Every structure is written in C-alpha cells, then in structure tokens.
Amino acid sequence: MSNWWKHGIVYQVYPRSFQDADGDGVGDLAGITDRLPYLADLGVDAVWISPIYPSPMADFGYDVADYTGVHELFGTMDDADHLIESAHDLGLKVILDYVVNHSSHQHPWFKESRSSRDSPKRDWYFWKDPGADGGPPTNWVSRFGGGSAWEFDEQTGQYYLHTYLAEQPDLNWGNADLRRAMLDVLRFWMDRGVDGFRVDVAYRAMVAPQWRDNPPNPDWKEGMDPYRKLQETYTKNLPDAHVVGRMLRDVVDEYDDRVLIGEVTLPVDRLMAFYGKNADEYHLPFNFNLIHSDWTAESVRAHVDAYEHHVPTTGWPNYVLGNHDQHRFASRVGPAQARVGHMLLLTLRGTPTIYYGDELGMPDGRIPPEMVQDPWELKTPGLGLGRDPARTPMQWSTATHAGFCPPDAEPWLPVGPGADVINVEVQQQETSSMLSLTKRLIALRRENPALHAGSYRSFDTPEGVFAYARQSPEDATDRFLITLNFTAETQTWTLPDGLYGTVEASARYGRRDDTVQGILALRPNDGLLIRIEHSP
Ligand code: GLC
C-alpha cells in the first residue's frame, strides 16, 4: 500500500519507558515486541521508536556510539529483527530515530577524529583553532545549559563544535566520507525492513557553516532558558539543512514505501521549506505548532487555518501534541481538554503522531530532585525545562510499577501520578475512558475516507468553539463536522442552515448516537464528531 503514512497514525515509543521485559527497570525491545498487539488493537499504523543504539546515554540515546548496533540495555540485533518482523506480521510499520546532527563522543569515528589533526576522520567533525582572543572560535552556545558550544581538546589544541552536550559532537556533512557512512546507515536499517526514519533536529544539519557570531536576542530575560540569549542566525535553519534533507530523501527513495519524517521546530512559513522545493525532502516535517499555540479555540483555529493554507499541494500535513521533549499534553491543557485535543488530533487533515501514554491522558510525572535524569534539567535546574516528567513508565495496569517492570525491579523513573486509574487495564474496561475514546476515533478515522483523506474547511463560530468539516474527495455524502468546545462552560452554536447529523463520538462522554440540527449546545469541555446526514 503506497503512501501508507498519509492515511496512517504514528505512535511514538520512548524505549526506556514502554515495557521492561528483562527486569532491569529500563524498557527494552523485547518489551516493545510484547506490547505490539496492544498497538495493533489501538489501531495505529506505525511505531516510531526513539534511539535504540549503543550509547553512553549522556542524552539518553540521542548520543549515538554506533548507528548500526543495538544498546545492550535494549537487547540485541536479533531482538530488533524480531521486533520488525512481529510488527510487520501485525500490519504495523517501524520507524527508527536517525540522529543526523551529532554522534556520541564515544563513537569510534569521533575517537579517531580527535586522536590527531592528521586523522583521516579529523574532518568528519567540526574542528577549529581558538578565536583571536584564544577562546572559542565563535560565541555559539550549547542548546543544553547555554555554555559555549565549543569544547577545547588539549591533545590537539583545537576546539570541536557541539550544539548539544560536549558528549554530542556535531557531524560535518560537508565531508564526503562522513556522508557516505551516514547514508549507509539508512540503507542498513531499510535492508533490515525498517519502514522509515524520524530525523532528529533535521533543521540543524550543517555542510559548510559560516563561522560568525550569533547576534544577541533582545527579548531574552533572566529566568529564561540561557541558551536563548542569542539568536540562531548562523546555527539553524540554514540552506545546508535542505542539502542534507535531499540526500537523505534520495536514499530513502531507493526503497519502496518508506517515510522520512523531520524534526523541525519552526513556525509554519519556514517549516514548509522542509517538504523540499520539488517535494524532495521530508514527507512529513513535524508540525509542532499545536504544542506552541495557546490552547484556545481561536488560537488553534488560526494555527490550523494558516498551516492548511501553507502546506504545498505536493505536501501532506501532520500534527503533533506531545513527545519526549515536552511536558505531557494532559498536564499542559488539563485532563478534560486532553480529550478534546485528541479529538482534534485524530480528525484533522494530515498524519497524527501520538506520544505513548497520551492515549490514556497520562500527566507529567513528579520527579524528586535526587531522581532527576535529564541532562538539560541537571544543567539548568528549576526552569521547568527538564524532560523526565514526560518520560515516566507507560501505565499498563494496576500492578506494582503500573505493570511496566517486574515488581522487584526499580523503574528508572518513578511511575506517574494517578496510575491506579490512568492505565490500560482499567481504561480498556470503561467505555467512556480516554483510551476507549482514542480507539473509537482511530477506528472512525480508518473507516471513513473523509477523515483520513478528506478536505478541511473551518467555520466562524462563537468564542471558545472551533468547528470544521471534513469531506471525502470521492464521495460527497461522506462528510463530517467536528465541533470542539475549548472552554469549561456550555457553548451554543447554530449549525449551518439545514444541516442534520448524527453524533459518532463525544470527547467528553465517548460514544454517542443522538442526532443534531439547529442550535447545538456544546457541553463544557466537550467535542462532537458529527456525521453529516444532510446538508443543503
Ligand atoms: C532532539 C531530541 C531530543 C534530543 C536532541 C538532541 O530535539 O528530540 O530529545 O535531546 O534532539 O539530540
């Protein structure tokens, strides 16, 4: 089936936190494989797994020491093969993370590169002499903590660039050998059956940087992320990122039916460039704008309308509400609006990505200071930047540790609050649970072309309400109206004249099958997915 990623739903698994099969308190590949039937039953189409590669775990796997291996914490290459095969047997695709911008400082490439100025791999990373004042070559700062992005290497007397931690040296995509090696990584995994990649910080990859100072950010204030003190004029979203995007796409296109997703944190207008001028870069440049938009009907509608307006006709939209770098969606908007948000996510035009546990409404975990793991939080404590709260164990059941690991194991992060009710076992039995709602919405999305392939049109509505219609490209009678109440009060909206429909799902109550026409009273924090039976 071609373009499965257009109609499908991506589910992100953070492998440390999904299911621990071997009892060391850290999730693993065998655990994910055990839980694939759950994902198939939920109705998603692809599982994207955050990095599983050998790594010293300075940034929990986003510091890769071997792109074609498996970390022993997660299992073996056989486990990876078994996971891929089991997923395919269940009709699920597998997407791996591809860390394009940097490796680990423990990668043999970097070890060799740092060994001497004459090393054949010296140029695989960015090495520079000290600046005029003997300090770092530019004023660039590290994304984590705001210290210099340059680390001095005593042995060879030069600095190397690290956009993230010093343990994550940046790769030089201007070097042909490095390029070949990195592109072969894609082939290695596709040969093993992997169906695509999520490219980490795709908008940062550099080929031929200009070594110039970044200007100060006039909007920065004390208490903000120190890294934001500078604007990133010379360090991100450069034309280079597109050069690399096209190279990756060329390789992905050597294989049938694979998908290339890019992590691109940019406003809508600049995001579009990552589809590629000739639709030759990312199939799906991740759209994080719902994460960054205020959670009001007006702001969300403005975003969706603008995004819809900008997505090129050769491109395909996508939406994300949460991931391993953000506070949990249910904590950002509250549990009631989390349900409305998922009705939105699963009824918009474009590929939705669901972060593990968000289908249950899992909130942020509470991490006592002595249990903090995330290097970002450790470097800038107390600013609310830490990502551990969104990485707590998946909540499977009412068992000890929510069923994430055996009772006698200690999970690497504490189980989040409310796990006695916010878990798969309990929510599977309740028809009105968030899990049952998510499952129903996914099923409706699959069954109805209007919802997975149809057009999008929004309506002018009273404040607090966002309403839009989806209509099948092939069948004019296959159409839906979605009305979402972003407030905790009842809102009324007069439906378009003559419109008559059946409610297929309610965000607040789950399944409903009453009919609507005329004046619609939308209950507090409710959303309705209405099948249009008649409309003039
Ligand atoms: C991406 C990842 C994040 C990681 C960073 C550096 O933003 O999502 O988790 O820390 O890149 O690789």
Side-chain angles (χ1 to χ4, degrees):
M1 184 179 58
S2 198
N3 290 351
W4 56 269
W5 47 270
K6 281 193 177 177
H7 301 157
I9 294 169
V10 178
Y11 184 97
Q12 181 190 356
V13 162
Y14 196 67
R16 295 181 73 87
S17 307
F18 201 56
Q19 178 69 63
D20 170 22
D22 65 5
D24 61 0
V26 177
D28 42 48
L29 295 180
I32 299 172
T33 305
D34 287 348
R35 294 299 189 177
L36 289 174
Y38 164 76
L39 297 181
D41 182 59
L42 183 60
V44 300
D45 300 76
V47 47
W48 149 37
I49 310 174
S50 286
I52 57 169
Y53 317 108
S55 160
M57 296 282 170
D59 189 17
F60 292 104
Y62 284 94
D63 47 326
V64 179
D66 173 5
Y67 286 91
T68 55
V70 172
H71 197 301
E72 58 186 18
L73 255 181
F74 297 132
T76 62
M77 193 54 83
D78 281 348
D79 293 326
D81 288 340
H82 182 53
L83 187 159
I84 296 166
E85 201 185 314
S86 311
H88 289 168
D89 286 347
L90 289 164
L92 292 165
K93 307 282 185 183
V94 177
I95 298 171
L96 292 186
D97 226 297
Y98 179 76
V99 187
V100 71
N101 181 68
H102 43 265
S103 74
S104 160
H105 67 141
Q106 294 299 337
H107 198 297
W109 299 343
F110 186 70
K111 287 189 182 167
E112 207 179 317
S113 179
R114 113 186 271 177
S115 66
S116 97
R117 288 197 186 202
D118 307 323
S119 153
K121 292 203 171 57
R122 185 65 169 180
D123 193 37
W124 286 36
Y125 295 82
F126 294 112
W127 290 97
K128 297 288 289 173
D129 288 332
D133 60 355
T138 64
N139 70 347
W140 299 356
V141 292
S142 151
R143 184 74 189 80
F144 292 147
S148 175
W150 294 97
E151 182 79 1
F152 188 66
D153 180 61
E154 293 286 347
Q155 196 189 319
T156 55
Q158 285 188 313
Y159 283 90
Y160 68 86
L161 178 67
H162 59 89
T163 300
Y164 290 84
L165 301 170
E167 292 88 345
Q168 294 168 293
D170 281 32
L171 294 165
N172 175 8
W173 278 82
N175 179 286
D177 293 330
L178 174 280
R179 280 206 299 268
R180 251 191 305 276
M182 281 299 281
L183 295 175
D184 277 345
V185 167
L186 299 173
R187 297 188 182 98
F188 173 89
W189 287 109
M190 288 190 286
D191 286 340
R192 299 197 98 87
V194 162
D195 302 282
F197 302 92
R198 171 271 190 189
V199 180
D200 189 63
V201 290
Y203 64 132
R204 288 192 179 275
M206 295 206 276
V207 178
Q210 295 181 56
W211 306 111
R212 299 178 60 179
D213 282 356
N214 275 328
N217 172 8
D219 299 328
W220 186 85
K221 289 184 199 62
E222 206 56 56
M224 281 168 69
D225 184 349
Y227 142 85
R228 297 202 182 278
K229 277 186 185 166
L230 298 180
Q231 298 175 51
E232 286 212 80
T233 313
Y234 298 105
T235 42
K236 80 169 185 202
N237 193 26
L238 306 169
D240 290 14
H242 299 284
V243 175
V244 174
R246 284 192 292 275
M247 286 183 213
L248 305 183
R249 177 64 177 271
D250 275 350
V251 174
V252 164
D253 282 349
E254 290 168 13
Y255 294 72
D256 288 337
D257 249 5
R258 315 292 157 123
V259 68
L260 193 63
I261 304 177
E263 188 205 12
V264 182
T265 311
L266 288 175
V268 171
D269 48 344
R270 275 173 282 162
L271 179 60
M272 297 306 148
F274 284 82
Y275 286 104
K277 274 207 185 73
N278 303 306
D280 52 359
E281 294 181 34
Y282 295 90
H283 294 108
L284 302 173
F286 261 150
N287 168 18
F288 297 131
N289 289 287
L290 286 180
I291 295 180
H292 302 124
S293 138
D294 288 340
W295 197 252
T296 63
E298 293 67 38
S299 157
V300 169
R301 177 190 178 188
H303 161 66
V304 175
D305 283 356
Y307 179 73
E308 276 283 342
H309 174 75
H310 278 95
V311 172
T313 45
T314 50
W316 184 251
N318 78 89
Y319 293 90
V320 181
L321 293 178
N323 62 33
H324 64 294
D325 294 327
Q326 305 294 332
H327 287 287
R328 282 276 181 187
F329 182 63
S331 292
R332 297 195 326 260
V333 304
Q337 280 297 316
R339 300 174 63 117
V340 174
H342 280 76
M343 181 169 274
L344 171 78
L345 177 73
L346 294 165
T347 57
L348 282 173
R349 190 177 80 96
T351 306
T353 298
I354 299 177
Y355 183 50
Y356 85 92
D358 278 1
E359 74 274 27
L360 309 170
M362 267 174 64
D364 271 351
R366 295 190 195 120
I367 316 293
E370 67 281 5
M371 287 195 75
V372 169
Q373 308 274 342
D374 182 17
W376 200 2
E377 176 68 20
L378 291 170
K379 280 191 178 283
T380 47
L383 296 182
L385 301 172
R387 300 165 297 175
D388 294 330
R391 299 175 177 180
T392 58
M394 174 67 176
Q395 293 164 192
W396 293 105
S397 69
T398 51
T400 315
H401 309 312
F404 161 70
C405 58
D408 54 349
E410 212 34 64
W412 78 287
L413 281 174
V415 171
D420 50 336
V421 280
I422 306 172
N423 68 63
V424 173
E425 185 187 29
V426 165
Q427 293 201 9
Q428 261 170 350
Q429 284 152 26
E430 285 172 7
T431 50
S432 62
S433 68
M434 175 135 181
L435 178 60
S436 298
L437 169 71
T438 309
K439 226 175 130 174
R440 173 145 182 81
L441 290 170
I442 292 176
L444 285 163
R445 186 180 176 93
R446 287 186 92 86
E447 286 157 17
N448 297 283
L451 291 174
H452 63 245
S455 60
Y456 159 91
R457 175 167 76 95
S458 63
F459 294 90
D460 291 335
T461 49
E463 211 178 307
V465 176
F466 176 25
Y468 50 95
R470 303 287 316 278
Q471 168 147 357
S472 163
E474 271 119 41
D475 175 0
T477 65
D478 174 19
R479 49 198 173 152
F480 288 84
L481 176 71
I482 297 94
T483 58
L484 306 172
N485 182 352
F486 279 65
T487 73
E489 287 98 50
T490 299
Q491 302 291 349
T492 50
W493 179 44
T494 308
L495 293 175
D497 219 12
L499 186 144
Y500 166 84
T502 317
V503 177
E504 292 273 8
S506 143
R508 185 163 164 185
Y509 302 97
R511 202 188 174 113
R512 267 181 55 185
D513 46 19
D514 42 345
T515 54
V516 288
Q517 70 185 121
I519 296 174
L520 182 69
L522 258 181
R523 285 177 242 212
N525 297 310
D526 199 6
L528 299 178
L529 173 57
I530 301 164
R531 187 187 294 280
I532 301 176
E533 309 285 357
H534 177 76
S535 177

